[in-house]
């Protein structure tokens, strides 16, 4: 498994070298969010190889989207 530091460094490299990288990540997360809304918990569990709880996946995805949109959970901007 890749150490977190290496993973973060690779993400930063991709963002620097490929200007559209952030856009693809954002659209990918939005697609995943829409897909999860359509699936039952059993299907979500299977989609992630039975390794993660569906509620945990949905919660984590929501937190990631909030951070990317620079907004607090109540919708107010962090900055």
């Amino acid at each position: 498994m890749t150490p977190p530091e290496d993973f973060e460094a690779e993400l930063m490299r991709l963002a620097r070298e490929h200007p559209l990288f952030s856009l693809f990540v954002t659209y990918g997360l939005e697609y995943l969010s829409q897909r999860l809304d359509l699936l039952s918990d059993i299907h979500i569990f299977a989609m992630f190889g039975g390794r993660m709880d569906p509620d945990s996946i949905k919660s984590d995805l929501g937190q990631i989207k909030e951070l990317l949109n620079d907004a607090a959970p109540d919708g107010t901007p962090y900055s």
Side-chain angles (χ1 to χ4, degrees):
M1 180 171 263
T2 305
E5 298 82 20
D6 292 345
F7 184 71
E8 184 176 345
E10 182 63 13
L11 288 176
M12 297 309 275
R13 183 191 68 76
L14 287 169
R16 272 192 316 275
E17 293 178 12
H18 304 284
L20 296 178
F21 175 74
S22 300
L23 181 68
F24 288 120
V25 169
T26 302
Y27 277 109
L29 290 171
E30 186 59 34
Y31 176 79
L32 178 60
S33 178
Q34 291 174 2
R35 180 102 167 129
L36 294 180
D37 287 343
L38 298 173
L39 296 173
S40 68
D41 284 352
I42 293 170
H43 288 103
I44 295 171
F45 188 72
M47 177 193 254
F48 285 85
R51 292 183 176 88
M52 293 181 72
D53 176 56
D55 291 330
S56 214
I57 294 167
K58 292 175 188 176
S59 173
D60 290 349
L61 183 59
Q63 289 175 351
I64 291 168
K65 287 173 59 177
E66 286 172 8
L67 289 171
L68 287 175
N69 290 321
D70 194 29
D74 64 359
T76 59
Y78 281 120
S79 30

